[in-house]
């Protein structure tokens, strides 16, 4: 599973924000199911930043967001993300894709 969080940050605040993203990524990296992650800045628009992380599955990612350390060290930064869907399933050839359907709770 891939998670892509994009952020718009004024250029003068970029260096401090990079530190905040590093702290957030480190907190996520300590969680079970984390497979890797990168911080990036757009080459054409230096106000646009990204934190992309990879997870074993959606449950691992959601549990990570609930962990105490992530709430303490990452949620404030992650809450600054551009409001858009951020969780992606693997769509490599041969992968079973999720089917958008109403699910029963009981």
């Amino acid at each position: 599973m891939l998670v892509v969080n994009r952020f718009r940050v004024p250029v003068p605040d970029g260096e401090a924000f990079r530190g905040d993203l590093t702290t957030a990524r480190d907190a996520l990296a300590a969680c079970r199911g984390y497979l890797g992650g990168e911080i990036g800045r757009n080459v054409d628009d230096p106000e646009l930043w990204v934190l992309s992380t990879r997870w074993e599955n959606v449950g691992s990612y959601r549990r990570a967001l609930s962990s105490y350390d992530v709430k303490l060290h990452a949620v404030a930064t992650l809450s600054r993300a551009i409001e858009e869907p951020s969780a992606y399933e693997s769509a490599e050839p041969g992968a079973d894709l999720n089917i958008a359907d109403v699910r029963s709770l009981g």
Side-chain angles (χ1 to χ4, degrees):
M1 188 199 139
L2 174 67
V3 178
V4 178
N5 297 111
R6 297 185 319 135
F7 306 86
R8 184 152 304 275
V9 179
V11 171
D13 300 333
E15 199 55 43
F17 186 72
R18 179 166 40 178
D20 293 343
L21 274 183
T22 301
T23 299
R25 183 188 58 188
D26 291 348
L28 291 166
C31 296
R32 177 184 251 171
Y34 178 88
L35 300 176
E38 294 81 34
I39 294 169
R41 189 176 79 164
N42 189 282
V43 295
D44 296 317
D45 182 352
E47 289 190 343
L48 192 58
W49 289 78
V50 66
L51 171 63
S52 64
T53 55
R54 292 177 313 285
W55 297 86
E56 285 181 13
N57 52 51
V58 69
S60 296
Y61 172 62
R62 289 182 177 160
R63 282 188 293 280
L65 292 178
S66 298
S67 79
Y68 176 77
D69 284 340
V70 168
K71 286 181 181 177
L72 185 63
H73 299 291
V75 167
T77 300
L78 295 176
S79 69
R80 296 178 59 185
I82 295 170
E83 193 169 323
E84 62 187 8
S86 61
Y88 295 84
E89 64 183 328
S90 174
E92 294 293 329
D96 291 328
L97 298 179
N98 185 39
I99 298 171
D101 198 4
V102 178
R103 297 182 178 138
S104 170
L105 297 177

PDB file of all heavy atoms in Angstrom, residues 70-95:
ATOM      1  N   VAL A  70       2.994   8.587  16.943  1.00  0.00           N
ATOM      2  CA  VAL A  70       2.603   9.262  15.698  1.00  0.00           C
ATOM      3  C   VAL A  70       1.686  10.440  16.018  1.00  0.00           C
ATOM      4  O   VAL A  70       1.834  11.520  15.447  1.00  0.00           O
ATOM      5  CB  VAL A  70       1.960   8.268  14.710  1.00  0.00           C
ATOM      6  CG1 VAL A  70       1.297   9.002  13.548  1.00  0.00           C
ATOM      7  CG2 VAL A  70       3.017   7.294  14.198  1.00  0.00           C
ATOM      8  N   LYS A  71       0.761  10.242  16.942  1.00  0.00           N
ATOM      9  CA  LYS A  71      -0.104  11.365  17.343  1.00  0.00           C
ATOM     10  C   LYS A  71       0.739  12.509  17.904  1.00  0.00           C
ATOM     11  O   LYS A  71       0.462  13.676  17.647  1.00  0.00           O
ATOM     12  CB  LYS A  71      -1.133  10.901  18.364  1.00  0.00           C
ATOM     13  CG  LYS A  71      -2.230  10.075  17.766  1.00  0.00           C
ATOM     14  CD  LYS A  71      -3.230   9.657  18.832  1.00  0.00           C
ATOM     15  CE  LYS A  71      -4.324   8.806  18.228  1.00  0.00           C
ATOM     16  NZ  LYS A  71      -5.279   8.336  19.255  1.00  0.00           N
ATOM     17  N   LEU A  72       1.754  12.175  18.655  1.00  0.00           N
ATOM     18  CA  LEU A  72       2.596  13.185  19.294  1.00  0.00           C
ATOM     19  C   LEU A  72       3.547  13.867  18.313  1.00  0.00           C
ATOM     20  O   LEU A  72       3.749  15.084  18.367  1.00  0.00           O
ATOM     21  CB  LEU A  72       3.398  12.529  20.428  1.00  0.00           C
ATOM     22  CG  LEU A  72       4.244  13.428  21.304  1.00  0.00           C
ATOM     23  CD1 LEU A  72       3.367  14.418  22.072  1.00  0.00           C
ATOM     24  CD2 LEU A  72       5.060  12.581  22.274  1.00  0.00           C
ATOM     25  N   HIS A  73       4.142  13.109  17.370  1.00  0.00           N
ATOM     26  CA  HIS A  73       5.219  13.632  16.533  1.00  0.00           C
ATOM     27  C   HIS A  73       4.875  13.822  15.063  1.00  0.00           C
ATOM     28  O   HIS A  73       5.690  14.390  14.322  1.00  0.00           O
ATOM     29  CB  HIS A  73       6.445  12.715  16.628  1.00  0.00           C
ATOM     30  CG  HIS A  73       6.999  12.600  18.006  1.00  0.00           C
ATOM     31  ND1 HIS A  73       7.631  13.640  18.655  1.00  0.00           N
ATOM     32  CD2 HIS A  73       6.998  11.572  18.882  1.00  0.00           C
ATOM     33  CE1 HIS A  73       7.998  13.265  19.856  1.00  0.00           C
ATOM     34  NE2 HIS A  73       7.627  12.006  20.028  1.00  0.00           N
ATOM     35  N   ALA A  74       3.712  13.356  14.618  1.00  0.00           N
ATOM     36  CA  ALA A  74       3.433  13.422  13.180  1.00  0.00           C
ATOM     37  C   ALA A  74       2.084  14.025  12.815  1.00  0.00           C
ATOM     38  O   ALA A  74       1.964  14.648  11.763  1.00  0.00           O
ATOM     39  CB  ALA A  74       3.532  12.019  12.568  1.00  0.00           C
ATOM     40  N   VAL A  75       1.088  13.844  13.643  1.00  0.00           N
ATOM     41  CA  VAL A  75      -0.263  14.248  13.251  1.00  0.00           C
ATOM     42  C   VAL A  75      -0.371  15.744  12.966  1.00  0.00           C
ATOM     43  O   VAL A  75      -1.028  16.149  12.001  1.00  0.00           O
ATOM     44  CB  VAL A  75      -1.309  13.780  14.288  1.00  0.00           C
ATOM     45  CG1 VAL A  75      -2.655  14.439  14.066  1.00  0.00           C
ATOM     46  CG2 VAL A  75      -1.447  12.257  14.233  1.00  0.00           C
ATOM     47  N   ALA A  76       0.297  16.581  13.733  1.00  0.00           N
ATOM     48  CA  ALA A  76       0.222  18.029  13.479  1.00  0.00           C
ATOM     49  C   ALA A  76       0.751  18.358  12.086  1.00  0.00           C
ATOM     50  O   ALA A  76       0.162  19.168  11.360  1.00  0.00           O
ATOM     51  CB  ALA A  76       0.991  18.801  14.544  1.00  0.00           C
ATOM     52  N   THR A  77       1.828  17.712  11.686  1.00  0.00           N
ATOM     53  CA  THR A  77       2.390  17.938  10.350  1.00  0.00           C
ATOM     54  C   THR A  77       1.487  17.333   9.286  1.00  0.00           C
ATOM     55  O   THR A  77       1.177  17.976   8.277  1.00  0.00           O
ATOM     56  CB  THR A  77       3.806  17.348  10.253  1.00  0.00           C
ATOM     57  OG1 THR A  77       4.628  18.000  11.233  1.00  0.00           O
ATOM     58  CG2 THR A  77       4.390  17.552   8.869  1.00  0.00           C
ATOM     59  N   LEU A  78       1.051  16.092   9.490  1.00  0.00           N
ATOM     60  CA  LEU A  78       0.193  15.429   8.501  1.00  0.00           C
ATOM     61  C   LEU A  78      -1.132  16.165   8.303  1.00  0.00           C
ATOM     62  O   LEU A  78      -1.692  16.138   7.212  1.00  0.00           O
ATOM     63  CB  LEU A  78      -0.060  13.971   8.911  1.00  0.00           C
ATOM     64  CG  LEU A  78       1.174  13.069   8.932  1.00  0.00           C
ATOM     65  CD1 LEU A  78       0.801  11.690   9.456  1.00  0.00           C
ATOM     66  CD2 LEU A  78       1.818  12.987   7.560  1.00  0.00           C
ATOM     67  N   SER A  79      -1.603  16.844   9.332  1.00  0.00           N
ATOM     68  CA  SER A  79      -2.872  17.565   9.217  1.00  0.00           C
ATOM     69  C   SER A  79      -2.754  18.784   8.293  1.00  0.00           C
ATOM     70  O   SER A  79      -3.766  19.340   7.879  1.00  0.00           O
ATOM     71  CB  SER A  79      -3.377  18.000  10.593  1.00  0.00           C
ATOM     72  OG  SER A  79      -2.542  19.010  11.133  1.00  0.00           O
ATOM     73  N   ARG A  80      -1.542  19.159   7.931  1.00  0.00           N
ATOM     74  CA  ARG A  80      -1.322  20.278   7.003  1.00  0.00           C
ATOM     75  C   ARG A  80      -1.394  19.839   5.537  1.00  0.00           C
ATOM     76  O   ARG A  80      -1.267  20.650   4.637  1.00  0.00           O
ATOM     77  CB  ARG A  80       0.040  20.918   7.263  1.00  0.00           C
ATOM     78  CG  ARG A  80       0.154  21.550   8.635  1.00  0.00           C
ATOM     79  CD  ARG A  80       1.512  22.137   8.878  1.00  0.00           C
ATOM     80  NE  ARG A  80       1.845  23.168   7.890  1.00  0.00           N
ATOM     81  CZ  ARG A  80       3.014  23.780   7.813  1.00  0.00           C
ATOM     82  NH1 ARG A  80       3.971  23.471   8.672  1.00  0.00           N
ATOM     83  NH2 ARG A  80       3.226  24.694   6.889  1.00  0.00           N
ATOM     84  N   ALA A  81      -1.604  18.537   5.307  1.00  0.00           N
ATOM     85  CA  ALA A  81      -1.624  18.012   3.942  1.00  0.00           C
ATOM     86  C   ALA A  81      -2.781  18.609   3.146  1.00  0.00           C
ATOM     87  O   ALA A  81      -3.831  18.954   3.696  1.00  0.00           O
ATOM     88  CB  ALA A  81      -1.745  16.490   3.956  1.00  0.00           C
ATOM     89  N   ILE A  82      -2.567  18.713   1.845  1.00  0.00           N
ATOM     90  CA  ILE A  82      -3.627  19.115   0.932  1.00  0.00           C
ATOM     91  C   ILE A  82      -4.752  18.094   1.060  1.00  0.00           C
ATOM     92  O   ILE A  82      -4.494  16.890   1.076  1.00  0.00           O
ATOM     93  CB  ILE A  82      -3.085  19.181  -0.515  1.00  0.00           C
ATOM     94  CG1 ILE A  82      -2.022  20.284  -0.616  1.00  0.00           C
ATOM     95  CG2 ILE A  82      -4.218  19.388  -1.517  1.00  0.00           C
ATOM     96  CD1 ILE A  82      -1.243  20.274  -1.925  1.00  0.00           C
ATOM     97  N   GLU A  83      -5.975  18.566   1.157  1.00  0.00           N
ATOM     98  CA  GLU A  83      -7.100  17.654   1.358  1.00  0.00           C
ATOM     99  C   GLU A  83      -7.435  16.942   0.051  1.00  0.00           C
ATOM    100  O   GLU A  83      -8.004  17.527  -0.871  1.00  0.00           O
ATOM    101  CB  GLU A  83      -8.322  18.415   1.876  1.00  0.00           C
ATOM    102  CG  GLU A  83      -9.388  17.494   2.387  1.00  0.00           C
ATOM    103  CD  GLU A  83     -10.478  18.224   3.141  1.00  0.00           C
ATOM    104  OE1 GLU A  83     -10.169  19.189   3.862  1.00  0.00           O
ATOM    105  OE2 GLU A  83     -11.640  17.822   2.988  1.00  0.00           O
ATOM    106  N   GLU A  84      -7.021  15.691  -0.026  1.00  0.00           N
ATOM    107  CA  GLU A  84      -7.269  14.838  -1.188  1.00  0.00           C
ATOM    108  C   GLU A  84      -7.050  13.395  -0.749  1.00  0.00           C
ATOM    109  O   GLU A  84      -6.365  13.155   0.244  1.00  0.00           O
ATOM    110  CB  GLU A  84      -6.330  15.190  -2.349  1.00  0.00           C
ATOM    111  CG  GLU A  84      -4.862  14.980  -2.037  1.00  0.00           C
ATOM    112  CD  GLU A  84      -3.939  15.490  -3.141  1.00  0.00           C
ATOM    113  OE1 GLU A  84      -4.413  16.148  -4.082  1.00  0.00           O
ATOM    114  OE2 GLU A  84      -2.732  15.220  -3.044  1.00  0.00           O
ATOM    115  N   PRO A  85      -7.609  12.427  -1.470  1.00  0.00           N
ATOM    116  CA  PRO A  85      -7.352  11.027  -1.113  1.00  0.00           C
ATOM    117  C   PRO A  85      -5.846  10.750  -1.143  1.00  0.00           C
ATOM    118  O   PRO A  85      -5.131  11.236  -2.016  1.00  0.00           O
ATOM    119  CB  PRO A  85      -8.084  10.241  -2.210  1.00  0.00           C
ATOM    120  CG  PRO A  85      -9.132  11.179  -2.711  1.00  0.00           C
ATOM    121  CD  PRO A  85      -8.520  12.554  -2.608  1.00  0.00           C
ATOM    122  N   SER A  86      -5.363   9.964  -0.177  1.00  0.00           N
ATOM    123  CA  SER A  86      -3.921   9.764  -0.075  1.00  0.00           C
ATOM    124  C   SER A  86      -3.488   8.302  -0.056  1.00  0.00           C
ATOM    125  O   SER A  86      -2.307   8.018  -0.197  1.00  0.00           O
ATOM    126  CB  SER A  86      -3.393  10.449   1.192  1.00  0.00           C
ATOM    127  OG  SER A  86      -3.998   9.891   2.345  1.00  0.00           O
ATOM    128  N   ALA A  87      -4.408   7.367   0.127  1.00  0.00           N
ATOM    129  CA  ALA A  87      -4.051   5.949   0.225  1.00  0.00           C
ATOM    130  C   ALA A  87      -4.311   5.252  -1.108  1.00  0.00           C
ATOM    131  O   ALA A  87      -5.395   5.366  -1.676  1.00  0.00           O
ATOM    132  CB  ALA A  87      -4.858   5.286   1.334  1.00  0.00           C
ATOM    133  N   TYR A  88      -3.290   4.536  -1.594  1.00  0.00           N
ATOM    134  CA  TYR A  88      -3.367   3.852  -2.885  1.00  0.00           C
ATOM    135  C   TYR A  88      -3.013   2.382  -2.710  1.00  0.00           C
ATOM    136  O   TYR A  88      -2.067   2.050  -2.006  1.00  0.00           O
ATOM    137  CB  TYR A  88      -2.378   4.481  -3.882  1.00  0.00           C
ATOM    138  CG  TYR A  88      -2.710   5.903  -4.222  1.00  0.00           C
ATOM    139  CD1 TYR A  88      -2.287   6.946  -3.402  1.00  0.00           C
ATOM    140  CD2 TYR A  88      -3.454   6.211  -5.349  1.00  0.00           C
ATOM    141  CE1 TYR A  88      -2.595   8.261  -3.708  1.00  0.00           C
ATOM    142  CE2 TYR A  88      -3.764   7.522  -5.664  1.00  0.00           C
ATOM    143  CZ  TYR A  88      -3.327   8.542  -4.839  1.00  0.00           C
ATOM    144  OH  TYR A  88      -3.641   9.840  -5.141  1.00  0.00           O
ATOM    145  N   GLU A  89      -3.760   1.534  -3.381  1.00  0.00           N
ATOM    146  CA  GLU A  89      -3.423   0.118  -3.392  1.00  0.00           C
ATOM    147  C   GLU A  89      -2.475  -0.160  -4.547  1.00  0.00           C
ATOM    148  O   GLU A  89      -2.414   0.595  -5.516  1.00  0.00           O
ATOM    149  CB  GLU A  89      -4.694  -0.729  -3.553  1.00  0.00           C
ATOM    150  CG  GLU A  89      -5.418  -0.528  -4.874  1.00  0.00           C
ATOM    151  CD  GLU A  89      -6.705  -1.318  -4.960  1.00  0.00           C
ATOM    152  OE1 GLU A  89      -6.786  -2.400  -4.376  1.00  0.00           O
ATOM    153  OE2 GLU A  89      -7.635  -0.831  -5.619  1.00  0.00           O
ATOM    154  N   SER A  90      -1.748  -1.239  -4.445  1.00  0.00           N
ATOM    155  CA  SER A  90      -0.869  -1.642  -5.534  1.00  0.00           C
ATOM    156  C   SER A  90      -1.721  -2.073  -6.728  1.00  0.00           C
ATOM    157  O   SER A  90      -2.679  -2.832  -6.576  1.00  0.00           O
ATOM    158  CB  SER A  90       0.011  -2.811  -5.094  1.00  0.00           C
ATOM    159  OG  SER A  90       0.762  -3.282  -6.197  1.00  0.00           O
ATOM    160  N   ALA A  91      -1.381  -1.565  -7.894  1.00  0.00           N
ATOM    161  CA  ALA A  91      -2.120  -1.908  -9.115  1.00  0.00           C
ATOM    162  C   ALA A  91      -1.189  -2.539 -10.142  1.00  0.00           C
ATOM    163  O   ALA A  91      -1.435  -2.477 -11.340  1.00  0.00           O
ATOM    164  CB  ALA A  91      -2.810  -0.665  -9.679  1.00  0.00           C
ATOM    165  N   GLU A  92      -0.113  -3.148  -9.650  1.00  0.00           N
ATOM    166  CA  GLU A  92       0.818  -3.830 -10.537  1.00  0.00           C
ATOM    167  C   GLU A  92       0.092  -4.952 -11.268  1.00  0.00           C
ATOM    168  O   GLU A  92      -0.884  -5.500 -10.752  1.00  0.00           O
ATOM    169  CB  GLU A  92       1.990  -4.398  -9.730  1.00  0.00           C
ATOM    170  CG  GLU A  92       2.876  -3.354  -9.092  1.00  0.00           C
ATOM    171  CD  GLU A  92       3.632  -2.528 -10.113  1.00  0.00           C
ATOM    172  OE1 GLU A  92       3.968  -3.045 -11.195  1.00  0.00           O
ATOM    173  OE2 GLU A  92       3.885  -1.351  -9.828  1.00  0.00           O
ATOM    174  N   PRO A  93       0.550  -5.312 -12.462  1.00  0.00           N
ATOM    175  CA  PRO A  93      -0.081  -6.418 -13.185  1.00  0.00           C
ATOM    176  C   PRO A  93      -0.166  -7.670 -12.304  1.00  0.00           C
ATOM    177  O   PRO A  93       0.784  -8.026 -11.612  1.00  0.00           O
ATOM    178  CB  PRO A  93       0.858  -6.657 -14.374  1.00  0.00           C
ATOM    179  CG  PRO A  93       1.504  -5.327 -14.593  1.00  0.00           C
ATOM    180  CD  PRO A  93       1.666  -4.739 -13.219  1.00  0.00           C
ATOM    181  N   GLY A  94      -1.343  -8.283 -12.297  1.00  0.00           N
ATOM    182  CA  GLY A  94      -1.568  -9.483 -11.505  1.00  0.00           C
ATOM    183  C   GLY A  94      -2.093  -9.216 -10.111  1.00  0.00           C
ATOM    184  O   GLY A  94      -2.530 -10.140  -9.428  1.00  0.00           O
ATOM    185  N   ALA A  95      -2.056  -7.946  -9.650  1.00  0.00           N
ATOM    186  CA  ALA A  95      -2.564  -7.625  -8.314  1.00  0.00           C
ATOM    187  C   ALA A  95      -4.083  -7.616  -8.336  1.00  0.00           C
ATOM    188  O   ALA A  95      -4.701  -7.163  -9.290  1.00  0.00           O
ATOM    189  CB  ALA A  95      -2.039  -6.259  -7.858  1.00  0.00           C
TER     190      ALA A  95
END
